[in-house]
Amino acid sequence: MASSLLSRQLVLSLQNNLRLSAGCRFASKAATKTQLEFEYDGPSMKTPVPGPRSEELTKQLGDIQNVGAVHFFCNYEESRGNYLVDVDGNRMLDVYTQISSIPIGYNHPALLKLMSNPNNLSTFVNRPALGILPPENFPDRLTESLLSVSPSGMSRVQTMACGSCSNENAYKAMFMWYRNKERGHNTPTDEDLTSCMINQGPGCPDLSILSFMGAFHGRTMGCLATTHSKAIHKLDVPSFDWPIAPFPRLQYPLEEFTRENAQEEARCLEEVEDLIVKWRQKGKPVAGIVIEPIQAEGGDNHASPDFFKSLRNIARKHGCAFHVDEVQTGGGTTGKFWAHEHWGMDDPADVVSFSKKLLTGGYYHKDELQADKPYRIFNTWMGDPSKNLFLSEVLNVIRRENLLEEVTRSGKALLNGLYELQARYPGLLSRARGQGTFCAIDIRDDPTRNSILLKTRDKGVLLGGCGDRSIRFRPALVFKEYHVHIFLNIFNDVLAQHK
C-alpha cells in the first residue's frame, strides 16, 4: 500500500506542477530535484476554505462531537512535503504543520518505505503495555531514537503518549523527588499511606510548581494549573494554589532596547525568588519550576540566554527541580535540536519534556528524578513503539539531509522577509521575532489577525495564531528558502489588502 501510494504521488507530482508568477517580489531559488520528486511546486486553490465537501463533513461530525475548532477536512493521502491537501482539492503550503507536530513533511518517502517493510508490521499491529510487557527490541529502539538526541547531562528517558501526559508525569516525578529529599529516604510512613487515600496530608503534601504567565503546558489537571495563555483553557476547572511569575515582555528590535529588556528580565527574576520564598512561608514549598524556552501558545514570547541561566541558578539555590518544556520548541525547528541549546549551558535542566515533532511524548530526566518504585510513573501504553521506529528514521533524514542547517537558512530568510514586510506595513505589523523557522509577528489587533489568517488560507497558505494578536510560523524541517518566498509573496498580497 505504502509503495503504491508513493508511486501515485510521484506521478501526480509531474502532472500538477505549478510555477511562481514572474512578478514575485521575493526571488526564489530553483527547487532541487530531490525536493520536486516528493512534493508539489506550489499552492493550488479550487474553492474557498472550508469548501462544500468540508462543510458537509463538518455537519456530519457535528452530530457526533463538538466541531467548533475544526477548520476543514483533509486528504492526507494526497498531501506531501510542505503541502496539505483538503477534501475539496485545495492544496495549501502548510506553515503551521498540525500545530507544529510534522517533522519532515507529509508522506515523506523514507517513512512510507518504513511502512512497507514487512519486518516492521508487528510493531504497527501490536501496541504493548510498555510498562509491563515491552517488546524485545525496545531498549535498542530507545537508544537509536530518543537517547541519540538526549539533552546535555541526561541519559534517562520516560516515554509517554502526548505533551500533556509527559508534563503531568514529569510534575509527579518532581514532587516524588522533592518529598523523598524532605524525608531523607524513600520509605513512606503508615500515615503517608493512609492519608493519601483521602487526599490529605502528609501523604498528599502541599507542594507547588512555579510557572509563568503566558505559559502553556497542557490540559490535564496539573498541567492546567501551570497554563496561563487563554481563559477558555481553564474556565470551570478546579485548580491548585501554585505561584505564577511574570514572563519577560521584551521590546523589539532587541538591539535597540538592550537596557530596557535587561531591566525587564531582572524584574521577573526578582519576582520568581520572591514567590518561592512566599510560597514556602505559606507552607506550600515550590518543588519545581517549569518554563518553555519560547512561550509558544502564549504569543511566541522570548527571553535571553542570561535570563534562563539565572533562572536555572535560582532553582538550584532554592532546591527546586528545573523543568524545561520543549514540547513545541524541540525537534529542530529553532535551528538546534533543542531550543535550550541556544542558552549554551552544560547542565540546562533536571527535566526536559517533549512531544509533537518527536512523534512520541515523554521526558528526559536526571538520575535522581527516576521513580523510586514501580507503578508510580505508569499508565497502560506509556508511549508507542511504532512512533520510536518513525522517529529513528526522521532522525536519519535530519542528519542525512542536514536539515538543521536548512532550518537556519530558511529561518534567516523568513525572519528577514518579515522584517521587510514590517517596514513596508508599519501600521499593521510589529515585533517580528524568531529562532530558526520558529518565528512570529504581531498584527495590530485580534480581528485583523483573524482576517489575515483566513485570507491567507484562501490564497493557499496555512498559518496559525497565538497570544492576543500574533501569527506564528511553524513549518516542517523540510521548509526551504523557496518555500519562504512563496509564502512571503502571498502574505504580502494579503497584507496589501489591509493597509
mmCIF file of all heavy atoms in Angstrom, residues 420-451:
data_model
loop_
_atom_site.group_PDB
_atom_site.id
_atom_site.type_symbol
_atom_site.label_atom_id
_atom_site.label_comp_id
_atom_site.label_asym_id
_atom_site.label_seq_id
_atom_site.Cartn_x
_atom_site.Cartn_y
_atom_site.Cartn_z
ATOM 1 N N GLU A 420 11.218 42.926 6.457
ATOM 2 C CA GLU A 420 10.938 43.766 5.293
ATOM 3 C C GLU A 420 9.454 44.115 5.213
ATOM 4 O O GLU A 420 9.081 45.267 4.952
ATOM 5 C CB GLU A 420 11.390 43.048 4.019
ATOM 6 C CG GLU A 420 11.212 43.875 2.760
ATOM 7 C CD GLU A 420 11.738 43.168 1.522
ATOM 8 O OE1 GLU A 420 12.648 42.324 1.657
ATOM 9 O OE2 GLU A 420 11.226 43.455 0.410
ATOM 10 N N LEU A 421 8.598 43.139 5.447
ATOM 11 C CA LEU A 421 7.161 43.397 5.422
ATOM 12 C C LEU A 421 6.748 44.316 6.566
ATOM 13 O O LEU A 421 5.865 45.171 6.413
ATOM 14 C CB LEU A 421 6.389 42.077 5.492
ATOM 15 C CG LEU A 421 6.490 41.186 4.254
ATOM 16 C CD1 LEU A 421 5.815 39.845 4.501
ATOM 17 C CD2 LEU A 421 5.870 41.870 3.032
ATOM 18 N N GLN A 422 7.387 44.146 7.715
ATOM 19 C CA GLN A 422 7.090 45.000 8.860
ATOM 20 C C GLN A 422 7.433 46.460 8.561
ATOM 21 O O GLN A 422 6.695 47.376 8.940
ATOM 22 C CB GLN A 422 7.907 44.489 10.049
ATOM 23 C CG GLN A 422 7.742 45.231 11.343
ATOM 24 C CD GLN A 422 8.526 44.571 12.457
ATOM 25 O OE1 GLN A 422 8.060 43.630 13.071
ATOM 26 N NE2 GLN A 422 9.731 45.048 12.721
ATOM 27 N N ALA A 423 8.541 46.662 7.842
ATOM 28 C CA ALA A 423 8.919 48.022 7.439
ATOM 29 C C ALA A 423 7.960 48.571 6.395
ATOM 30 O O ALA A 423 7.669 49.774 6.359
ATOM 31 C CB ALA A 423 10.346 48.029 6.900
ATOM 32 N N ARG A 424 7.426 47.679 5.560
ATOM 33 C CA ARG A 424 6.518 48.089 4.500
ATOM 34 C C ARG A 424 5.123 48.417 5.041
ATOM 35 O O ARG A 424 4.420 49.269 4.499
ATOM 36 C CB ARG A 424 6.440 46.970 3.443
ATOM 37 C CG ARG A 424 5.735 47.344 2.164
ATOM 38 C CD ARG A 424 5.759 46.179 1.174
ATOM 39 N NE ARG A 424 7.124 45.783 0.808
ATOM 40 C CZ ARG A 424 7.423 44.778 -0.007
ATOM 41 N NH1 ARG A 424 6.450 44.057 -0.549
ATOM 42 N NH2 ARG A 424 8.678 44.490 -0.278
ATOM 43 N N TYR A 425 4.722 47.719 6.105
ATOM 44 C CA TYR A 425 3.383 47.899 6.680
ATOM 45 C C TYR A 425 3.497 48.197 8.181
ATOM 46 O O TYR A 425 3.046 47.409 9.027
ATOM 47 C CB TYR A 425 2.535 46.640 6.459
ATOM 48 C CG TYR A 425 2.418 46.226 5.011
ATOM 49 C CD1 TYR A 425 3.164 45.146 4.508
ATOM 50 C CD2 TYR A 425 1.578 46.900 4.131
ATOM 51 C CE1 TYR A 425 3.065 44.762 3.186
ATOM 52 C CE2 TYR A 425 1.467 46.524 2.803
ATOM 53 C CZ TYR A 425 2.215 45.452 2.336
ATOM 54 O OH TYR A 425 2.118 45.068 1.016
ATOM 55 N N PRO A 426 4.076 49.336 8.561
ATOM 56 C CA PRO A 426 4.350 49.627 9.977
ATOM 57 C C PRO A 426 3.096 49.787 10.830
ATOM 58 O O PRO A 426 3.140 49.559 12.036
ATOM 59 C CB PRO A 426 5.162 50.925 9.924
ATOM 60 C CG PRO A 426 4.767 51.568 8.629
ATOM 61 C CD PRO A 426 4.525 50.441 7.672
ATOM 62 N N GLY A 427 1.990 50.168 10.226
ATOM 63 C CA GLY A 427 0.758 50.297 10.991
ATOM 64 C C GLY A 427 0.022 48.983 11.169
ATOM 65 O O GLY A 427 -0.974 48.922 11.896
ATOM 66 N N LEU A 428 0.530 47.959 10.535
ATOM 67 C CA LEU A 428 -0.135 46.657 10.532
ATOM 68 C C LEU A 428 0.673 45.591 11.265
ATOM 69 O O LEU A 428 0.124 44.772 11.996
ATOM 70 C CB LEU A 428 -0.368 46.232 9.076
ATOM 71 C CG LEU A 428 -1.221 45.001 8.801
ATOM 72 C CD1 LEU A 428 -2.618 45.152 9.408
ATOM 73 C CD2 LEU A 428 -1.326 44.775 7.292
ATOM 74 N N LEU A 429 1.995 45.598 11.078
ATOM 75 C CA LEU A 429 2.879 44.563 11.625
ATOM 76 C C LEU A 429 3.862 45.161 12.622
ATOM 77 O O LEU A 429 4.294 46.304 12.478
ATOM 78 C CB LEU A 429 3.668 43.883 10.505
ATOM 79 C CG LEU A 429 2.887 43.269 9.346
ATOM 80 C CD1 LEU A 429 3.849 42.660 8.331
ATOM 81 C CD2 LEU A 429 1.910 42.212 9.848
ATOM 82 N N SER A 430 4.252 44.352 13.601
ATOM 83 C CA SER A 430 5.264 44.773 14.573
ATOM 84 C C SER A 430 5.868 43.547 15.248
ATOM 85 O O SER A 430 5.340 42.442 15.148
ATOM 86 C CB SER A 430 4.656 45.697 15.639
ATOM 87 O OG SER A 430 3.649 45.021 16.373
ATOM 88 N N ARG A 431 6.995 43.761 15.904
ATOM 89 C CA ARG A 431 7.650 42.779 16.761
ATOM 90 C C ARG A 431 7.981 41.459 16.048
ATOM 91 O O ARG A 431 7.802 40.375 16.612
ATOM 92 C CB ARG A 431 6.824 42.494 18.022
ATOM 93 C CG ARG A 431 6.538 43.721 18.872
ATOM 94 C CD ARG A 431 5.764 43.377 20.142
ATOM 95 N NE ARG A 431 6.603 42.712 21.119
ATOM 96 C CZ ARG A 431 6.403 41.485 21.577
ATOM 97 N NH1 ARG A 431 5.385 40.767 21.127
ATOM 98 N NH2 ARG A 431 7.202 40.965 22.478
ATOM 99 N N ALA A 432 8.465 41.507 14.822
ATOM 100 C CA ALA A 432 8.936 40.286 14.163
ATOM 101 C C ALA A 432 10.051 39.676 15.001
ATOM 102 O O ALA A 432 10.942 40.382 15.477
ATOM 103 C CB ALA A 432 9.435 40.598 12.760
ATOM 104 N N ARG A 433 10.003 38.364 15.197
ATOM 105 C CA ARG A 433 10.936 37.704 16.110
ATOM 106 C C ARG A 433 11.027 36.224 15.772
ATOM 107 O O ARG A 433 10.127 35.674 15.126
ATOM 108 C CB ARG A 433 10.475 37.886 17.554
ATOM 109 C CG ARG A 433 9.053 37.360 17.803
ATOM 110 C CD ARG A 433 8.434 38.021 19.015
ATOM 111 N NE ARG A 433 7.086 37.531 19.327
ATOM 112 C CZ ARG A 433 5.965 38.001 18.820
ATOM 113 N NH1 ARG A 433 6.021 38.980 17.906
ATOM 114 N NH2 ARG A 433 4.793 37.514 19.174
ATOM 115 N N GLY A 434 12.105 35.584 16.209
ATOM 116 C CA GLY A 434 12.189 34.157 15.989
ATOM 117 C C GLY A 434 13.584 33.596 16.133
ATOM 118 O O GLY A 434 14.580 34.321 16.176
ATOM 119 N N GLN A 435 13.636 32.266 16.211
ATOM 120 C CA GLN A 435 14.870 31.488 16.140
ATOM 121 C C GLN A 435 14.631 30.376 15.134
ATOM 122 O O GLN A 435 13.628 29.664 15.221
ATOM 123 C CB GLN A 435 15.222 30.877 17.501
ATOM 124 C CG GLN A 435 15.897 31.819 18.458
ATOM 125 C CD GLN A 435 16.295 31.122 19.746
ATOM 126 O OE1 GLN A 435 15.632 30.203 20.206
ATOM 127 N NE2 GLN A 435 17.389 31.563 20.351
ATOM 128 N N GLY A 436 15.550 30.212 14.160
ATOM 129 C CA GLY A 436 15.293 29.256 13.095
ATOM 130 C C GLY A 436 14.022 29.641 12.370
ATOM 131 O O GLY A 436 13.773 30.823 12.090
ATOM 132 N N THR A 437 13.183 28.650 12.070
ATOM 133 C CA THR A 437 11.885 28.949 11.461
ATOM 134 C C THR A 437 10.783 29.102 12.505
ATOM 135 O O THR A 437 9.612 29.261 12.166
ATOM 136 C CB THR A 437 11.482 27.833 10.468
ATOM 137 O OG1 THR A 437 11.517 26.568 11.132
ATOM 138 C CG2 THR A 437 12.424 27.815 9.274
ATOM 139 N N PHE A 438 11.147 29.062 13.773
ATOM 140 C CA PHE A 438 10.191 29.249 14.866
ATOM 141 C C PHE A 438 10.005 30.750 15.047
ATOM 142 O O PHE A 438 10.601 31.380 15.924
ATOM 143 C CB PHE A 438 10.748 28.611 16.142
ATOM 144 C CG PHE A 438 9.726 28.305 17.201
ATOM 145 C CD1 PHE A 438 9.278 27.019 17.400
ATOM 146 C CD2 PHE A 438 9.227 29.308 18.026
ATOM 147 C CE1 PHE A 438 8.360 26.713 18.400
ATOM 148 C CE2 PHE A 438 8.312 29.026 19.019
ATOM 149 C CZ PHE A 438 7.874 27.723 19.212
ATOM 150 N N CYS A 439 9.180 31.328 14.180
ATOM 151 C CA CYS A 439 9.055 32.787 14.088
ATOM 152 C C CYS A 439 7.617 33.226 14.360
ATOM 153 O O CYS A 439 6.678 32.422 14.324
ATOM 154 C CB CYS A 439 9.471 33.275 12.702
ATOM 155 S SG CYS A 439 11.218 33.012 12.321
ATOM 156 N N ALA A 440 7.484 34.517 14.600
ATOM 157 C CA ALA A 440 6.157 35.105 14.807
ATOM 158 C C ALA A 440 6.215 36.585 14.501
ATOM 159 O O ALA A 440 7.292 37.188 14.434
ATOM 160 C CB ALA A 440 5.681 34.881 16.241
ATOM 161 N N ILE A 441 5.042 37.159 14.319
ATOM 162 C CA ILE A 441 4.922 38.602 14.134
ATOM 163 C C ILE A 441 3.576 39.037 14.701
ATOM 164 O O ILE A 441 2.599 38.270 14.680
ATOM 165 C CB ILE A 441 5.058 38.990 12.641
ATOM 166 C CG1 ILE A 441 5.331 40.476 12.481
ATOM 167 C CG2 ILE A 441 3.830 38.553 11.837
ATOM 168 C CD1 ILE A 441 5.862 40.858 11.117
ATOM 169 N N ASP A 442 3.524 40.252 15.245
ATOM 170 C CA ASP A 442 2.278 40.772 15.808
ATOM 171 C C ASP A 442 1.495 41.542 14.748
ATOM 172 O O ASP A 442 2.075 42.228 13.902
ATOM 173 C CB ASP A 442 2.560 41.695 16.988
ATOM 174 C CG ASP A 442 2.928 40.943 18.245
ATOM 175 O OD1 ASP A 442 3.020 39.700 18.182
ATOM 176 O OD2 ASP A 442 3.136 41.594 19.288
ATOM 177 N N ILE A 443 0.168 41.432 14.835
ATOM 178 C CA ILE A 443 -0.754 42.171 13.978
ATOM 179 C C ILE A 443 -1.408 43.258 14.834
ATOM 180 O O ILE A 443 -1.502 43.120 16.058
ATOM 181 C CB ILE A 443 -1.818 41.229 13.385
ATOM 182 C CG1 ILE A 443 -1.157 39.985 12.777
ATOM 183 C CG2 ILE A 443 -2.649 41.946 12.336
ATOM 184 C CD1 ILE A 443 -0.169 40.258 11.667
ATOM 185 N N ARG A 444 -1.886 44.303 14.248
ATOM 186 C CA ARG A 444 -2.313 45.478 15.031
ATOM 187 C C ARG A 444 -3.440 45.158 16.012
ATOM 188 O O ARG A 444 -3.542 45.796 17.072
ATOM 189 C CB ARG A 444 -2.714 46.619 14.106
ATOM 190 C CG ARG A 444 -3.940 46.378 13.275
ATOM 191 C CD ARG A 444 -4.205 47.560 12.331
ATOM 192 N NE ARG A 444 -5.238 47.268 11.361
ATOM 193 C CZ ARG A 444 -5.263 47.777 10.132
ATOM 194 N NH1 ARG A 444 -4.302 48.604 9.739
ATOM 195 N NH2 ARG A 444 -6.231 47.474 9.305
ATOM 196 N N ASP A 445 -4.313 44.200 15.694
ATOM 197 C CA ASP A 445 -5.361 43.812 16.631
ATOM 198 C C ASP A 445 -5.853 42.410 16.263
ATOM 199 O O ASP A 445 -5.535 41.870 15.208
ATOM 200 C CB ASP A 445 -6.523 44.819 16.642
ATOM 201 C CG ASP A 445 -7.119 45.081 15.261
ATOM 202 O OD1 ASP A 445 -7.377 44.098 14.528
ATOM 203 O OD2 ASP A 445 -7.306 46.260 14.907
ATOM 204 N N ASP A 446 -6.634 41.839 17.174
ATOM 205 C CA ASP A 446 -7.091 40.458 17.002
ATOM 206 C C ASP A 446 -8.007 40.273 15.782
ATOM 207 O O ASP A 446 -7.818 39.331 15.002
ATOM 208 C CB ASP A 446 -7.797 39.998 18.277
ATOM 209 C CG ASP A 446 -8.315 38.574 18.175
ATOM 210 O OD1 ASP A 446 -7.557 37.696 17.721
ATOM 211 O OD2 ASP A 446 -9.483 38.332 18.566
ATOM 212 N N PRO A 447 -9.003 41.153 15.538
ATOM 213 C CA PRO A 447 -9.844 40.965 14.349
ATOM 214 C C PRO A 447 -9.047 41.006 13.047
ATOM 215 O O PRO A 447 -9.307 40.222 12.129
ATOM 216 C CB PRO A 447 -10.845 42.124 14.434
ATOM 217 C CG PRO A 447 -10.900 42.480 15.874
ATOM 218 C CD PRO A 447 -9.505 42.270 16.387
ATOM 219 N N THR A 448 -8.079 41.923 12.964
ATOM 220 C CA THR A 448 -7.254 41.981 11.751
ATOM 221 C C THR A 448 -6.413 40.720 11.619
ATOM 222 O O THR A 448 -6.257 40.178 10.512
ATOM 223 C CB THR A 448 -6.337 43.218 11.784
ATOM 224 O OG1 THR A 448 -7.139 44.396 11.970
ATOM 225 C CG2 THR A 448 -5.552 43.348 10.493
ATOM 226 N N ARG A 449 -5.860 40.237 12.723
ATOM 227 C CA ARG A 449 -5.093 38.990 12.699
ATOM 228 C C ARG A 449 -5.934 37.842 12.145
ATOM 229 O O ARG A 449 -5.507 37.088 11.274
ATOM 230 C CB ARG A 449 -4.608 38.682 14.117
ATOM 231 C CG ARG A 449 -3.652 37.479 14.225
ATOM 232 C CD ARG A 449 -4.341 36.204 14.721
ATOM 233 N NE ARG A 449 -5.083 36.348 15.935
ATOM 234 C CZ ARG A 449 -4.598 36.074 17.150
ATOM 235 N NH1 ARG A 449 -3.338 35.677 17.282
ATOM 236 N NH2 ARG A 449 -5.375 36.193 18.210
ATOM 237 N N ASN A 450 -7.147 37.714 12.638
ATOM 238 C CA ASN A 450 -8.007 36.615 12.197
ATOM 239 C C ASN A 450 -8.389 36.757 10.728
ATOM 240 O O ASN A 450 -8.460 35.761 9.992
ATOM 241 C CB ASN A 450 -9.252 36.549 13.072
ATOM 242 C CG ASN A 450 -8.914 36.195 14.520
ATOM 243 O OD1 ASN A 450 -7.865 35.605 14.789
ATOM 244 N ND2 ASN A 450 -9.798 36.551 15.440
ATOM 245 N N SER A 451 -8.632 37.979 10.286
ATOM 246 C CA SER A 451 -8.945 38.214 8.872
ATOM 247 C C SER A 451 -7.760 37.835 7.987
ATOM 248 O O SER A 451 -7.928 37.202 6.928
ATOM 249 C CB SER A 451 -9.311 39.681 8.664
ATOM 250 O OG SER A 451 -9.466 39.976 7.289
#
